[in-house]
C-alpha cells in the first residue's frame, strides 16, 4: 500500500516485561497521530513461555495486526529462533548481541545487534530501553518523546535514575544512528494526537458513560481487564464494584441491583457465562434490564484461556431454558465496544430485558488508537418506562402513586412493555417472580394456573422486541456494490476482513466487498437476505470450528454461503490468510479454507 | 386479567402501617398446618412492631414452598431462582441501602444449592436478615432429603435411609462470619417475633434458622417433636457474646434442643458501611446516571 | 373411529388422592390388554389447587390423551364446575351427590350421582372407590379385578378393612348396574396383558439396562421421578445413587465417575441443565462418555414447574462454550425412552462424548401401557475403545500395559477416537485436562502453546462423530408417500401427531403424513431435506413459542416450513388442536396456528 | 506430535516405586520461588513414603496455578473446571474406591467458586485428601483478591484495599464436618510431608490448607512473613481430638500462626463405607454391566 504502515514485534518470556516497551512505543506512535493496532500473543503462564506483542502503526486506519513485521525485538533467544526466519526483506532485527545469537537471517533482513552491556555500563534492565530507542531512531522519530516517556516512567525513583535511563536511551538512539540503516520512510506526525485503548478499557468506559452504578465480576481471562478498569475507577466515578464468589453470584447480584434500579453490568468469558445462563433467563422472566459481556476465548471447557475464538455464539443464543427476549450484539472494534454499551443499555432499559455483548480476546485485550473526540461520554440515556420514588425515571407514575392493588407490574400492553416500579416506590408494591405470573405478579404456576394467562404472558414478553429491530442499524455492504466475492463476518473480524478486501483489490485484482454483522439478536433477516441473495459468491469468515455464525445465519435466513474460512487454532486471522483463502476458493480448490498460522506463538 | 383475590382497601402510603398493612391479597397456599404460616405471621408482626413501611421492605426468596413467602406479604418482593436469594439480595441492598432487605427460603434452597452464597454473604457481613424455614426436607419437590435431614432419615430419594451427615447451620453460621445467629420454632410465635425483630434491627448479616415443620413430608421432625424438645436460650442465661458457648450450644441436639439467640457481635461493620462509594449521595439506584465532563476528561486523559 | 376407545377424567385438589383411583383404573385396563395413555395436569402446589388426570384406553395403540372424555369423576365441586360444560354427548359424570352439585349439563351428558354416604355408611374416604366401581360397571368390566386390586391395596390393614372396602366397591358397582346406563360398548379383554410405565420410570429402567452404575441428581420437577426410581432400585440393582448439593455437583460427579470407568447418568430439567452446561463441555473436552437427561418444562427461569414444553432445544444445542461433539436425542414415546438410553450409552462410549436426552413433562410424567415383551433388558453393551486394568473393556491394551510414556490418551487417529484407559491401569498414566492438551494429555494452553497442535486437537474431536450418523436411523415418513400435508414434529409430539394424521384422514378427508424427528445431533440433513423438499406442504408442530425446532431445522437444511403449529401454554397438544390448525392453514387463514387450550387445568 | 519433555525410562509397574516414580516428564511452569513447588515435592515424598503405586493414585484439581499440579506428577490426573475438583473427585472415588484420590487446588478454586462442594464434601466425609495451596490471592488470573485475602489487602480487583472479611478455612472445615484438618507451610517441607501422609492415610475427608506463597502477586503474605510466624502445633502439645481447642487455635493469626494438625476424628465412617452398594464386588467401575434376567423380571413385574 502506498500509505506508511509499519509493524514492530517484541517477544520474550512472560514476566520479562514486554508490556513496558510496547506501551512506550504505542503511546509515542499514537501521540504523533498515527493509527495503531496492537495484539499480544501470550500464554496461560505467569513466568516463562513465549509472549509476542505486535504493534502496527500507520498514517491511515490500521485494523489488524497485519501480515508483516518491519522490526523484530527479541528479548530472548527463543523469540529470535521462532521469528527470525519469518522476517521479510527490508525488515530489522534489533537485539542484545551480548545475550542473543541470531541464526541465519532470510535475505535482506537487516540484523541490528546492540552492544547493550557497553551502552548501558552493564545495567541489564536497560536492554529494552536501548532497543526501543534504536527502533525509534530507525523510524525517524525524534528522541524527545522517548525522553519524556522515560522521565515519566522513572520520575518516582528520583532524578538520578531518570537521568541514567535517558542516558541509556540516548546511547541506543545514537548507536543506531551511526550503525544501522534508517528505514526508507519516516514515521509521520499527523495533526490529531490519538490515545490508545484496549477493548476491555473501552467496555469499562462504555459502562461508565452508560451510567453503570453496579459492576460485579469473577475474574476470568480475557475479561478481567474490565473488572480491573472498573475497580480502579470505582471511587472516582461512584461505581459499586464487587468481586463475587463465582459467576452465578455475579449474575444474580446483577439482577438484584438492576431490579432495585441501577444500571448493572458484568463481564466474563465462556465458562463463566455458562454458569450465568440460568440467571440470565431470570432477568428475561423478571423483565429486568442488565448487560452481560462474554469475552470469548478458545473453548470448550477451560480451553486455551489466553487465546482468541468466536466460539460462544450458540451458547449465547441458547442461554437458559425456554424462550425469552434479549439482545445479542458483537461489536466490531474497540471504539465500537465503547459506543455500543450505552446504546445497548438504552435498548435493554426500554425493552426491559437482558443484553449480551460478545467480545473476544483479540478485541478485548487488543489495543487500538482512538481519537479522543470520538469518545463521547455525553450519550443519551433512556431508561424506558421506569418508576422511581423521586420520579427521576422519566416515566410518569401511571397509577397515581398510592395504590398497590391497582399497579400491574406485568400489565398486558400492546407493546409488551409494562411500566416497572423499583422497590421503595409507595403505591407500587408487587412481587417479581421467576415462576410464571399474572399481570400483578401473582404466581400462576400454582393454584392459579391458567393456560390462557400463561399464553398471554409468553406472548407479552415475546412481542417486546418487535419494535427493537427498527432501532438497530441494518448491516451494510462496504465496498463495491457488485463484487466477485462478498466476505461476511461478525464481530471482531471486521477489521481484518476490511484489510483483506483492500488487499484483494490492490494486490490480486479481485473485487470483493464486505458485510460485517454486529447485531445478532434481533437479526435483520430481510436486509441481510436481500444483500446476500444478490451477491455473486458469499464466503463467511469466522474464528471457530463449526461455523457457528454460518449455521445461525442459515437458521434466520435460509441462506447457505458458498464458502467458509474458519480458524480455530487460538490465533486471530491475518489479512493474508483471508486473501489466500479467497483465492483458493475462487479457483475452486475448496469451499472451506482453514488458514494455518505460520508463527508458533 | 389480574389475580386479585381479596378486594381490600389499601391504606394510603403516608398513614402509619397497621398490622393489616402487611397482609397480602393472596392467601398462602401452603398445606394446612405447615410451619411456614407461623413464620409469615411472625415476620408480619415483626415488621409492624418495628414500624417499617411496607414499600421500604424488600423480601427476597429462592424457590421452594418456603420461598413462596414473598407472594404472601404486602411488601416489595422478589421470588428468584432456587438457591440464589442471598446473591440477588446483596445486589439489591447495595443498589439501595435504604431498603430493609429480608431473605426467606428453605433449608435446601439456602444450605443445599445456595451454600456458596450463604458462605460468602456471611463473611461479607451484608446487612440482610436471612430467615430459613428449616423443615429438614425438600417440600416443594415432594419430599427428598435435605442438607439438614438427619442421618438415617427415609425420604423419597433415600428410601433406605439417608447415609450423609447433616450440616448444622448454627455453628456453621457462627464460624462463617454471620454476626447475628438465632434459631426459632414455628410453634413459638412470640419468641420468633422477638428473634426476627432483633435480626432486622441488627446491622449486618443475621441468620434466623426456624424449625418450621413440613407436615406433609417430614414425619420425623414434627411439631410434637420440637414442642417437646425446644428450650429457650433466653431462659437459660446464655450469653450471646460468648463465642465458644454459642458454638457448643449450637451443637446440642437430643432430648433438649436450644432455640433463641446464639451469637451476636456488633463490632464488625456491615459491607455497605465499608464501601466509600455509598458514603454520600443516597442509594446508588437513585443517583443521576452518566459521568461529568471533568470525569470524562480524566478518564480520556489516561489514554493519551 | 371404529375401535373401542374411551377416556376417563378424574379431578380434585392436590392431596385429595386422585393418584390411587387413577392407578387402579390404569392397571385394570392394562391387565385386560387395553392400550393406554394417561396424563396428569397438576400444579406446583402440594395441597389444594386443581389436578386433573386423564386416562384414555382402547383396543388399539393409544398415543395421546385424546380429545374427549367418556367419564368425568369430579372429586370436588371445582372439578365439576370446570369440566362439566366440556363433556360430550353420551358421556357420564360420576360424582358424590352428597358433596357435589352438578350445574347445567350439556345435552345428552348423563349425570350419575352416587349417594356415597348411603353406600358407604358415611365413610368419607371411600367415595373414590365407589366412583371407580361405578365407572367399571358402566364399562362392562367384571367386579373381580377391582376386588383383587382393593385387596392388595388394603392387605396391610387387615382382613376387616379389606372386606369393608370391597363391600363399598360392590355397593357402588351394584348401584350403577341398577341406576346408571351402561356404555353401549364393553371394554374388551385382549390376549396380551400389558403393564404401565411412566416416562421417568422408563428412563430409570433404560439406565439400568444400559448398565448405569452411577446415578446422581438434584431433585427438579419433572425429572425427579428418575431419581426416585433409581433410589428405590439402587440396592437391588447395585447402582450408586447420590442426591447432590446442586446440579453443578451432579454433572461434575458424573464426569468423575465416568472417567473412572462407570456408566454414569443424571436427569434434571432446564434450570438444572443450565447449571450443568459448563461441565457438559468438560466431558466434551476430556472425551468422557456420560448421559444427561433434560426433562423439559415450561420456561424461562422457574417458569411453570409442573407444565410441559419443548423449550430447551437451543439450550441443549448451545450448552457450554466452544465447539465439541455430543449427541442430542429426543425420544418419542415412553417405550422409546427406555430403548434409547442403552443405545445412546453405546454411542457415547464409542465416540467418547456426552449424550443429551430431551424428554419433557408430558412424556416423562405421562403413563403408557407397555407390552412386557418389549422391555428387553438384554441389550448389546458396547463400550468402545476402553482399557480396564482387568481387561474387561473389550479393547486390547494397545501399548503393552506397562509404559506410561508411550500411552497417548488423546492420540490423533483417523477416526478421532483414541483408546481411553481408566485410572488404575498400570502403564497408562496420564492427565485428562480441560485445558487444551497434546496427544499425551500435556497442557498446551501454557508454555507449550502451539496453534498447530490446537488445530489438530479441535479437528480430532470434531471428526469423531463423522461415523455416528450411519449408526443412527434416518427419520422416515409415516403415512401415505404423497400427502397434502406433512406434519413434522420432534420428540414427544409423535403420538399426538400420529393421531391427528389419522383423524384428518378419517374425519376430514385430508391426506396427511408425518415426519417424526428423534435424533437431533447428529442430524440426518440429507434424508430430511430430501423428504421435505418433496413434500407438498410442511407444517412444523412444536410445544414452544419461538419455533426452536423450525429454526434448527432451517440451520441444518435451509428448509423453511410452510406453516407452524405452536403451543406454549403449558398443556400438551390434543389431536383436535392439530386437526383444526391444519384445516385453517390449508384454508390459507394463517401460517402460524396457536391452539387455545379449552380446559383450564 | 506428543509433548515428551524428558526421555525417562519408566520402571515397570510391578517394581516397588522409588521417589523418582512420582516425577513427571513435564517440569512445573510455576514462577521461580512459587510455594507450589514445595507442595508438589511434599506430595511426591508422601506418596513414596506411603509406598503407593503411581497408577493407583488419582490427583484431581480445578483451575489455577496450583491446580496445574496434576500435570506435574506421575500419577493418574484430572485437571477439571475451576472450583469443581471435589465434586469430580467424589464421583471418581465412589466409582473406584480402590483408588487413592487426592485433590489439589487454590484458595480461590476451593473456597471461592468451589465453596459449595467444599461444604458438602466435608459433611459427607468423602474419603479424599484435599490440599489447598492457599496463597491468599488469585494467581493464575494475575492477582485479584481471594476469599482468604486479608482485609485491607490491595490487589488488582481491590486497588483501594479489600473491604471483605476473609474466611478462615480451619474452623470452617472443623465445623463443616471434615475429619482431618491441618495447616502446613511450603517453607516446612518435612512437617508438610508428615501432614500429607497423615491425611492420605486418614479414612474420611482430610483438609490440608498450605500457606504456599505467591511470590509474584502477594507481596504481603510472603515466605518471610510466614517463616517468622509459623509455630508447630505438634511442638505445643495441642490435642487434635479437642474440638474447642482446635477451633480456638484455628483462629490464631498474628505474630504467631499455628500450623500442624488441628483436628482429627476417627469415629465417623467415610461415605463409601456407608454405602451398602459398595460392600461387595469391588470397584463399581469394574463390575459387569447390565441386569440379570431375574432382576429384569422383578423390575418388569412392578409395572403389571
Ligand atoms: C436449579 C434448580 N434446581 C432444582 C429446582 C427444584 N426445586 C424447587 S424447590 C426445591 C427444594 C425445596 O426445598 P427447600 O428449599 O428446603 O424448601 P421447602 O420446599 O422445603 O420449603 C427444589 C430442589 C429448581 N427450582 N431449580
Ligand atoms: C468458571 C470460571 N471462572 C473463572 C475462571 C478463571 N480463573 C482461572 S484460575 C482462577 C483463580 C485462581 O486462583 P486460585 O484458585 O487461588 O489458584 P492460584 O492461581 O492462586 O494457585 C480463576 C478465577 C475459570 N477458569 N473458570
Ligand atoms: S409440603 Fe411441607 S413445606 Fe410444603 S407447604 Fe406442605 S407442609 Fe409446608
Ligand atoms: S503467579 Fe503466584 S501462584 Fe502462580 S505460579 Fe507464580 S508465584 Fe505461583
Ligand atoms: Mg425444606
Ligand atoms: Mg490462590
Amino acid at each position: 500500500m502506498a500509505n506508511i504502515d509499519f509493524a514492530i514485534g517484541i517477544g520474550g518470556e512472560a514476566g520479562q516485561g514486554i508490556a513496558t516497551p510496547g506501551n512506550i512505543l504505542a503511546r509515542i506512535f499514537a501521540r504523533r497521530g498515527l493509527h495503531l493496532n496492537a495484539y499480544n500473543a501470550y500464554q496461560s503462564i505467569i513466568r516463562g513461555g513465549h509472549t509476542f506483542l505486535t504493534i502496527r502503526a500507520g498514517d491511515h486506519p490500521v485494523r489488524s495486526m497485519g501480515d508483516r513485521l518491519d522490526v523484530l525485538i527479541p528479548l530472548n533467544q527463543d523469540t529470535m529462533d521462532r521469528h527470525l526466519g519469518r522476517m521479510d526483506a527490508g525488515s530489522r532485527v534489533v537485539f542484545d548481541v551480548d545475550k542473543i545469537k541470531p541464526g541465519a537471517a532470510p535475505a535482506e533482513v537487516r540484523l541490528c545487534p546492540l552492544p547493550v552491556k557497553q551502552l548501558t555500563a552493564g545495567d541489564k534492565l536497560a536492554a529494552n530501553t536501548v532497543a526501543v530507542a534504536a527502533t525509534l531512531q530507525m523510524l525517524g522519530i525524534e528522541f524527545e518523546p522517548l525522553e519524556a516517556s522515560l522521565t515519566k516512567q522513572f520520575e518516582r525513583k528520583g532524578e538520578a535514575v531518570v537521568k541514567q535511563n535517558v542516558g541509556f536511551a540516548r546511547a541506543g538512539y545514537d548507536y543506531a544512528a551511526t550503525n544501522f540503516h534508517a528505514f526508507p520512510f519516516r514515521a509521520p506526525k499527523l495533526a490529531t494526537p490519538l490515545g490508545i485503548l484496549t477493548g476491555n478499557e473501552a467496555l469499562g468506559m462504555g459502562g461508565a458513560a452508560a451510567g453503570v452504578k453496579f459492576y460485579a465480576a469473577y475474574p476470568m481471562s480475557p475479561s478481567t481487564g474490565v473488572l480491573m478498569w472498573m475497580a480502579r475507577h470505582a471511587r472516582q466515578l461512584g461505581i459499586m464494584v464487587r468481586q463475587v464468589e463465582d459467576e452465578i453470584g455475579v449474575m444474580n447480584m446483577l439482577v438484584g441491583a438492576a431490579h432495585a434500579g441501577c444500571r448493572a453490568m458484568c463481564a466474563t468469558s465462556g465458562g463463566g457465562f455458562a454458569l450465568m445462563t440460568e440467571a440470565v433467563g431470570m432477568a428475561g422472566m423478571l423483565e429486568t434490564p442488565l448487560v452481560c459481556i462474554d469475552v470469548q476465548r478458545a473453548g470448550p471447557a477451560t480451553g486455551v484461556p489466553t487465546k482468541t475464538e468466536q466460539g460462544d455464539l450458540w451458547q449465547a443464543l441458547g442461554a437458559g431454558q425456554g424462550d425469552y427476549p434479549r439482545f445479542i450484539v458483537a461489536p466490531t472494534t474497540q471504539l465500537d465496544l465503547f459506543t455500543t454499551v450505552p446504546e445497548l443499555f438504552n435498548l435493554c432499559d426500554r425493552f426491559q430485558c437482558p443484553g449480551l455483548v460478545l467480545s473476544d480476546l483479540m478485541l478485548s485485550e487488543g489495543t487500538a488508537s482512538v481519537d479522543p473526540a470520538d469518545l463521547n461520554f455525553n450519550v443519551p440515556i433512556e431508561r424506558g418506562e421506569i418508576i422511581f420514588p423521586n420520579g427521576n425515571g422519566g416515566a410518569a407514575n401511571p397509577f397515581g402513586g398510592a395504590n398497590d392493588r391497582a399497579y400491574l407490574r406485568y400489565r398486558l400492553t400492546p407493546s409488551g412493555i409494562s411500566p416497572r416500579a423499583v422497590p421503595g416506590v409507595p403505591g407500587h408494591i408487587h412481587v417479581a417472580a421467576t415462576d410464571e405470573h399474572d399481570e400483578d405478579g401473582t404466581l400462576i404456576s400454582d393454584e392459579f394456573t391458567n393456560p390462557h394467562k400463561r399464553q398471554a404472558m409468553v406472548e407479552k414478553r415475546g412481542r417486546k422486541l418487535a419494535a427493537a429491530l427498527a432501532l438497530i442499524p441494518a448491516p451494510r455492504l462496504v465496498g463495491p456494490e457488485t463484487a466477485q466475492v462478498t466476505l461476511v463476518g461478525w464481530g471482531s473480524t471486521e477489521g481484518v476482513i476490511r484489510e483483506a478486501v483492500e488487499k484483494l483489490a490492490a494486490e490480486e485484482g479481485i473485487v470483493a466487498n464486505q458485510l460485517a454483522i454486529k447485531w445478532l439478536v434481533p437479526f435483520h433477516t430481510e436486509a441481510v437476505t436481500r444483500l446476500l441473495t444478490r451477491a455473486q459468491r458469499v464466503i463467511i469468515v469466522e474464528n471457530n470450528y463449526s461455523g457457528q455464525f454460518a449455521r445461525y445465519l442459515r437458521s434466520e435466513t435460509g441462506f447457505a454461503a458458498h464458502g467458509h474460512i474458519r480458524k480455530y487454532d487460538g490465533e486471530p486471522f491475518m489479512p493474508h490468510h483471508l486473501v489466500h483463502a479467497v483465492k483458493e476458493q475462487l479457483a475452486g480448490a475448496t469451499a472451506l479454507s482453514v488458514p494455518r498460522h505460520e508463527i508458533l506463538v | 386479567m389480574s389475580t386479585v383475590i381479596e378486594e381490600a382497601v389499601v391504606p394510603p402510603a403516608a398513614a402509619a402501617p397497621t398490622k393489616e398493612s402487611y397482609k397480602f391479597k393472596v392467601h398462602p397456599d401452603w398445606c394446612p398446618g405447615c410451619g411456614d404460616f407461623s413464620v409469615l405471621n411472625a415476620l408480619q408482626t415483626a415488621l409492624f412492631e418495628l414500624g417499617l413501611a411496607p414499600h421500604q421492605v424488600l423480601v427476597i426468596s429462592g424457590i421452594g414452598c418456603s420461598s413462596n413467602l414473598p407472594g404472601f406479604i404486602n411488601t416489595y418482593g422478589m421470588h428468584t431462582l432456587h438457591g440464589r436469594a442471598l446473591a440477588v439480595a446483596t445486589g439489591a441492598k447495595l443498589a439501595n441501602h435504604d431498603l430493609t432487605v429480608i431473605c426467606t427460603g428453605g433449608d435446601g434452597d439456602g444450605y443445599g444449592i445456595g451454600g456458596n452464597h450463604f458462605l460468602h454473604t456471611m463473611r461479607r457481613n451484608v446487612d440482610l436478615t436471612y430467615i430459613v424455614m428449616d423443615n429438614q426436607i425438600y417440600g416443594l419437590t415432594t419430599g427428598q432429603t435435605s442438607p439438614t435431614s438427619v442421618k438415617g432419615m427415609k425420604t423419597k430419594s433415600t428410601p433406605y435411609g439417608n447415609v450423609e451427615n447433616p450440616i448444622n447451620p448454627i455453628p456453621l453460621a457462627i464460624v462463617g462470619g454471620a454476626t447475628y445467629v438465632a434459631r426459632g420454632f414455628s410453634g413459638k410465635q412470640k419468641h420468633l417475633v422477638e428473634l426476627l425483630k432483633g435480626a432486622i434491627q441488627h446491622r449486618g448479616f443475621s441468620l434466623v434458622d426456624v424449625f418450621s415443620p413440613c407436615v406433609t413430608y417430614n414425619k420425623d421432625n414434627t411439631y410434637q417433636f420440637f414442642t417437646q424438645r425446644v428450650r429457650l436460650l433466653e431462659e437459660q442465661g446464655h450469653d450471646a457474646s460468648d463465642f465458644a458457648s454459642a458454638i457448643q450450644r449450637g451443637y446440642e441436639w437430643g432430648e433438649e434442643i436450644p432455640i433463641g439467640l446464639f451469637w451476636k457481635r456488633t463490632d464488625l461493620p456491615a459491607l455497605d458501611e465499608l464501601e466509600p462509594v455509598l458514603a454520600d449521595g443516597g442509594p446508588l439506584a437513585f443517583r443521576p446516571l452518566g459521568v461529568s465532563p471533568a470525569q470524562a476528561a480524566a478518564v480520556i486523559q489516561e489514554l493519551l
Side-chain angles (χ1 to χ4, degrees), chain A, chain B:
Chain A
M1 278 165 263
N3 301 325
I4 285 178
D5 184 320
F6 58 90
I8 298 165
I10 312 178
E13 287 186 12
Q16 236 188 335
I18 65 165
T20 311
N23 208 17
I24 289 177
L25 288 172
R27 284 184 187 258
I28 289 174
F29 297 154
R31 278 202 205 104
R32 308 176 76 75
L34 294 180
H35 299 267
L36 175 146
N37 186 294
Y39 170 75
N40 188 20
Y42 69 110
Q43 304 173 341
S44 188
I45 182 180
I46 305 299
R47 301 218 175 280
H50 178 54
T51 301
F52 196 76
L53 175 69
T54 304
I55 304 172
R56 184 173 152 226
D59 57 5
H60 57 287
V62 171
R63 305 179 198 277
S64 82
M65 63 166 145
D67 287 317
R68 59 169 270 139
L69 290 179
D70 298 276
V71 182
L72 173 68
I73 307 181
L75 300 183
N76 62 0
Q77 186 66 46
D78 180 40
T79 304
M80 177 67 96
D81 298 344
R82 287 177 190 242
H83 295 271
L84 179 61
R86 294 211 46 81
M87 297 302 289
D88 290 311
S91 67
R92 274 75 171 149
V93 180
V94 182
F95 62 102
D96 179 351
V97 75
D98 303 322
K99 214 175 109 187
I100 296 163
K101 308 270 146 296
E108 289 178 63
V109 170
R110 291 183 193 270
L111 293 179
C112 307
L114 285 164
V116 171
K117 209 189 290 175
Q118 169 199 325
L119 296 172
T120 66
D123 186 322
K124 277 184 197 161
L125 294 173
N128 301 359
T129 306
V130 174
V132 164
T135 302
L136 288 172
Q137 195 282 331
M138 288 190 283
L139 287 167
I141 296 181
E142 323 75 72
F143 184 67
E144 287 63 35
L146 179 58
E147 181 170 3
S149 179
L150 291 169
T151 305
K152 205 169 151 204
Q153 190 189 335
F154 291 106
E155 225 160 35
R156 287 179 309 141
K157 305 201 175 163
E159 210 175 315
V161 179
V162 169
K163 222 175 134 190
Q164 199 185 29
N165 277 280
V166 171
F168 297 154
R170 184 86 245 177
Y173 197 85
D174 292 346
Y175 186 87
T178 322
N179 297 284
F180 305 155
H181 285 262
F183 280 101
F185 61 87
R186 285 182 136 254
K189 187 160 185 167
L190 307 183
T192 319
L194 303 179
I196 56 170
L197 181 66
T198 68
N200 280 338
E201 288 167 348
L203 287 162
M205 288 165 56
V212 167
K213 288 273 177 286
F214 190 92
Y215 183 86
Y218 187 78
M220 185 160 193
S221 308
S223 71
T224 315
V226 189
L227 169 62
M228 272 147 46
W229 192 92
M230 283 291 187
R232 265 198 328 272
H233 295 84
R235 303 216 173 158
Q236 161 188 353
L237 300 177
I239 301 173
M240 170 67 64
V241 177
R242 307 261 21 111
Q243 182 179 322
V244 184
E245 58 272 17
D246 57 25
E247 287 88 351
I248 304 177
V250 168
M251 184 49 70
N252 281 278
M253 277 194 197
L254 246 64
V255 170
H259 181 80
C262 279
R263 281 195 161 175
M265 184 168 98
C266 68
T268 183
S269 188
F273 185 73
L275 294 169
M276 293 179 177
T277 59
E278 190 197 14
V280 174
M282 161 156 72
M285 192 62 153
L286 302 185
E287 307 195 32
T288 306
L290 51 80
V291 167
C292 171
I293 298 156
D294 176 358
V295 183
Q296 302 164 95
R297 70 189 209 189
T302 310
V304 201
T306 61
K307 295 293 167 187
T308 203
E309 197 161 280
Q310 297 181 297
D312 292 0
L313 175 57
W314 277 62
Q315 170 163 251
L317 292 167
Q321 67 276 21
D323 289 314
Y324 60 93
R326 73 262 182 258
F327 292 92
I328 306 181
V329 59
T332 59
T333 64
Q334 280 84 355
L335 180 61
D336 196 31
L337 289 171
F338 171 76
T339 52
T340 300
V341 171
E343 284 166 22
L344 181 59
F345 264 107
N346 286 347
L347 289 167
C348 292
D349 261 344
R350 175 153 169 184
F351 295 98
Q352 299 183 11
C353 69
L356 310 178
V357 179
L358 290 175
S359 180
D360 55 31
L361 182 137
M362 186 190 76
L363 202 56
S364 262
E365 297 199 335
T367 299
S369 53
V370 61
D371 182 345
D374 289 337
L375 294 171
N376 176 19
F377 276 83
N378 187 18
V379 291
I381 290 190
E382 292 149 16
R383 300 224 52 192
E385 301 187 44
I386 187 166
I387 304 166
F388 281 112
N390 47 2
N392 69 359
N397 178 335
F399 306 106
N403 189 349
D404 293 324
R405 291 290 194 275
Y407 172 65
L408 300 178
R409 165 65 187 100
Y410 298 108
R411 180 179 278 268
L412 296 170
T413 57
S415 66
I417 298 163
S418 329
R420 74 176 177 116
V422 304
V425 182
H428 291 72
I429 282 178
H430 67 277
V431 58
T434 61
D435 277 83
E436 189 60 280
H437 39 255
D438 204 343
E439 290 188 87
D440 63 353
T442 304
L443 255 60
I444 60 164
S445 67
D446 53 15
E447 63 175 296
F448 305 115
T449 308
N450 178 322
H452 301 166
K453 290 186 179 179
R454 159 72 182 170
Q455 182 180 337
M457 275 294 153
V458 174
E459 289 168 356
K460 166 197 147 44
R461 288 189 294 269
R463 72 176 164 264
K464 284 200 294 183
L465 291 201
L469 200 62
L471 303 177
I472 290 170
R476 284 186 314 175
L477 274 181
V478 171
E481 179 77 22
T482 53
Q484 287 169 269
V485 189
T486 298
L487 291 176
V488 181
W490 62 284
S492 66
T493 52
E494 192 220 16
V496 72
I497 295 176
R498 180 86 72 99
E499 294 196 344
V501 165
E502 287 166 7
K503 233 175 151 134
L504 282 165
E507 296 173 15
E508 312 285 345
I510 295 172
V511 182
N513 59 16
Q514 166 181 21
L515 186 68
I517 308 279
K518 171 179 167 180
W519 288 94
L520 296 158
V521 176
F523 193 75
H524 270 289
T525 298
E526 231 177 281
V528 171
T529 309
R530 194 170 354 98
L531 291 172
L532 294 185
T533 44
R534 276 200 218 135
Q536 275 184 49
R537 185 187 201 108
V538 174
I539 298 178
I540 298 179
V541 178
E542 51 187 323
N543 240 155
N544 63 55
Y545 173 74
S546 70
Q548 296 200 1
F549 177 75
R551 289 184 284 129
Y552 175 60
L553 176 70
R554 203 168 183 204
S555 84
E556 298 307 298
T557 63
F559 185 84
H562 306 92
H564 302 270
I565 308 176
R566 296 187 193 151
K567 200 155 178 292
Y568 37 85
D569 57 8
E571 297 299 332
F573 288 105
M574 295 163 84
H576 75 279
H577 291 145
L578 300 180
V579 169
H580 181 261
V582 168
K583 279 166 58 190
E584 78 179 1
Q585 297 205 11
L586 286 180
T590 182
L592 170 63
S593 306
V594 182
R596 194 166 168 82
H597 212 74
E598 296 86 353
I599 308 178
L600 296 187
V601 281
Chain B
M1 211 186 190
S2 85
T3 311
V4 177
I5 302 304
E6 274 177 68
E7 277 298 328
V9 178
V10 182
T18 67
K19 175 112 206 255
E20 284 307 297
S21 311
Y22 306 93
K23 289 256 174 309
F24 200 49
K25 58 188 173 187
V26 178
H27 294 295
D29 58 7
W30 291 310
C31 307
C34 176
D36 297 350
F37 284 100
S38 166
V39 178
L40 171 62
N41 194 56
L43 178 59
Q44 288 166 327
T45 308
L47 292 173
F48 165 64
E49 293 186 5
L50 292 173
L52 289 162
H55 72 272
Q56 281 292 4
V57 178
L58 175 58
V59 182
I60 302 182
S61 69
I63 297 293
C65 291
S66 41
S67 291
N68 288 345
L69 190 143
F72 309 141
I73 185 167
N74 192 48
T75 64
Y76 275 94
M78 296 183 79
H79 189 166
T80 73
L81 297 173
H82 189 43
R84 311 303 167 197
L86 291 179
V88 175
T90 299
K93 179 73 189 182
L94 295 176
N96 182 350
H97 60 292
D98 280 355
L99 293 172
T100 297
V101 183
I102 295 167
C103 292
T104 62
D107 40 325
D109 190 73
Y111 307 141
I113 191 169
N116 209 26
H117 310 305
F118 181 53
L119 219 54
H120 291 275
T121 312
M122 290 196 291
R123 79 172 170 89
R124 293 184 187 119
N125 199 28
V126 184
D127 186 18
L128 303 171
T129 297
Y130 188 26
I131 306 170
V132 177
M133 286 157 261
D134 187 352
N135 54 15
Q136 300 164 262
I137 195 84
Y138 281 23
L140 191 59
T141 46
T142 76
Q144 297 79 25
T145 189
S146 108
T148 55
S149 296
V150 297
K151 213 161 171 166
M153 185 167 165
K154 292 188 176 164
T155 71
K156 284 194 190 159
S157 57
T158 56
Y160 302 103
N162 175 22
V163 301
E164 300 184 355
N165 309 302
I167 59 153
N168 186 330
I170 302 298
L172 192 62
I174 296 171
V175 166
T179 49
Y180 181 105
V181 179
R183 189 195 274 148
F185 169 40
S186 289
K188 293 256 182 243
Q189 261 287 305
K190 272 210 183 131
H191 180 248
L192 183 56
V193 169
E194 292 311 312
L195 291 178
L196 292 180
K197 282 163 64 181
I200 295 167
Q201 285 178 298
H202 176 72
R203 197 84 169 82
F205 186 87
S206 321
L207 172 71
V208 185
D209 184 85
V210 186
F211 295 138
S212 177
C214 171
V215 296
T216 303
Y217 296 114
N218 189 333
K219 305 297 184 192
D220 297 336
N221 309 105
T222 59
Y223 267 101
Q224 207 199 343
F225 175 92
F226 289 112
T227 305
Q228 285 169 0
R229 286 172 173 80
V230 295
R231 300 291 181 274
L232 270 52
L233 285 171
E234 289 74 10
E235 291 175 358
Q236 301 182 327
H238 169 67
D239 174 2
S241 69
D242 179 341
F243 181 78
S245 157
I247 291 188
Q248 187 212 313
R249 303 245 32 201
Y251 274 107
E252 286 175 23
W253 186 272
E255 288 314 304
E256 302 205 347
I257 302 175
I259 62 171
L261 180 61
F262 286 85
W263 168 243
K264 176 174 170 172
R265 66 186 288 186
T266 52
D267 55 331
L268 276 185
L271 181 62
D272 58 299
E273 297 175 285
L274 289 166
E275 270 294 346
V277 167
L278 295 185
D280 302 304
L284 278 179
F286 304 152
R287 297 188 192 171
L289 303 197
V291 300
S292 70
Q295 287 171 327
V299 164
I300 291 173
Q301 188 56 39
E302 298 169 23
L303 310 178
L304 304 178

